[in-house]
Amino acid sequence: MKSRSTSGGLVYSTDAGRMCPVCRNSVDRCGCKKAAAVPAGDGIVRVSRETKGRGGKAVTVVKGVALAEADLVKLAQQLKASCGSGGTVKDGVIEVQGDHCDKVVALLTAQGHKVKRAGG
């Protein structure tokens, strides 16, 4: 049987709260989120409608927006409010519940983004 000193020390502690899995610091002191760069794309925002994997319900998907995570969440809030529906931001992609492609394209074009309608 191994003694505690040879097993590597501390196994579990709640002193620091939640820990970042990348840098192993507490979430308050984590520098990973701040250092994350904005994904470089081709500069074109693509708006499409998807139903796959959602039980037949339509979702408007906005991809390719070159904004930081906080700005992307604010843009998603604006789009959801103007469409009058819910939605979310997942992995840099904005999802708005319902088929609002034309309205989303018009709003993004008015904000100065280069927008294309993707898909059928």
Side-chain angles (χ1 to χ4, degrees):
M1 189 158 141
K2 292 183 181 180
S3 67
R4 286 188 185 186
S5 61
T6 61
S7 65
L10 183 66
V11 176
Y12 180 80
S13 174
T14 59
D15 289 341
R18 295 190 59 133
M19 304 295 284
C20 175
V22 178
C23 65
R24 306 297 293 165
N25 289 327
S26 66
V27 175
D28 298 335
R29 292 186 285 162
C30 176
C32 299
K33 297 281 183 183
K34 296 173 189 169
V38 176
D42 57 357
I44 299 173
V45 178
R46 289 177 171 77
V47 179
S48 63
R49 180 180 152 270
E50 290 183 2
T51 58
K52 191 172 187 177
R54 294 178 171 87
K57 309 243 178 178
V59 175
T60 303
V61 179
V62 182
K63 297 178 184 176
V65 182
L67 294 175
E69 188 69 26
D71 296 331
L72 198 64
V73 170
K74 289 179 185 177
L75 177 62
Q77 287 176 344
Q78 292 173 357
L79 294 176
K80 292 185 302 184
S82 64
C83 294
S85 63
T88 187
V89 177
K90 293 181 182 174
D91 299 326
V93 176
I94 300 173
E95 296 179 357
V96 180
Q97 295 174 351
D99 186 6
H100 303 287
C101 292
D102 297 330
K103 191 180 288 188
V104 169
V105 167
L107 289 167
L108 291 173
T109 304
Q111 289 184 1
H113 296 282
K114 189 174 179 183
V115 184
K116 280 188 178 180
R117 176 79 190 264

